[in-house]
Amino acid sequence: MENLPNCPKCNSEYTYEDGSLLVCPECSYEWSLEATNEDNSTVIKDVNGNILNDGDAVTVVKDLKVKGSSSSIKIGTKVKSIRLVPEATDGHDIECKIDGFGAMKLKSSVVKKA
């Protein structure tokens, strides 16, 4: 029997192969074997634990104050075409443009995948 990796989402040991994907029967999570071979330190996840990729659309999950501005980014604001910055040292690992604010950096802990 093959030695398949545990589920990255729930850590279940009962994973199985379905074509080119690995599947977890306990949480129904699907992922590719290549994704498990990548360095996990560069994986950026949203507030719900979903893996983010360049070009994804995200939604802001809480009101954010903007330095130097009297207005704030409201909850539910949709941000399109994000760019991930995994080497960010200040925690702001998403670069994007927000209508009415321009280019900004966001933390992945305040967004969810749209």
Side-chain angles (χ1 to χ4, degrees):
M1 185 162 188
E2 290 185 44
N3 218 1
L4 296 174
N6 290 353
C7 174
K9 193 169 186 181
C10 71
N11 205 28
S12 170
E13 61 185 26
Y14 303 111
T15 58
Y16 63 91
E17 282 185 282
D18 185 20
S20 63
L21 295 176
L22 297 173
V23 181
C24 175
E26 292 184 7
C27 69
S28 302
Y29 184 67
E30 297 179 350
W31 72 101
S32 65
L33 188 56
E34 292 81 33
T36 59
N37 294 334
E38 293 177 1
D39 185 15
N40 285 337
S41 65
T42 61
V43 173
I44 297 175
K45 297 182 180 184
D46 69 358
V47 71
N48 294 328
N50 297 320
I51 297 174
L52 296 173
N53 299 307
D54 284 339
D56 282 347
V58 295
T59 305
V60 177
V61 296
K62 65 185 240 181
D63 288 346
L64 302 173
K65 294 181 182 176
V66 180
K67 277 189 177 178
S69 176
S70 60
S71 58
S72 63
I73 299 171
K74 300 293 183 191
I75 186 170
T77 301
K78 189 167 184 178
V79 182
K80 301 176 189 173
S81 301
I82 63 170
R83 191 173 140 252
L84 301 179
V85 186
E87 64 275 355
T89 57
D90 60 351
H92 293 85
D93 46 11
I94 297 174
E95 290 182 349
C96 60
K97 288 184 182 175
I98 299 177
D99 293 338
F101 291 95
M104 304 213 57
K105 289 185 177 181
L106 297 173
K107 292 184 178 182
S108 58
S109 60
V110 297
V111 298
K112 68 177 181 178
K113 199 168 188 175

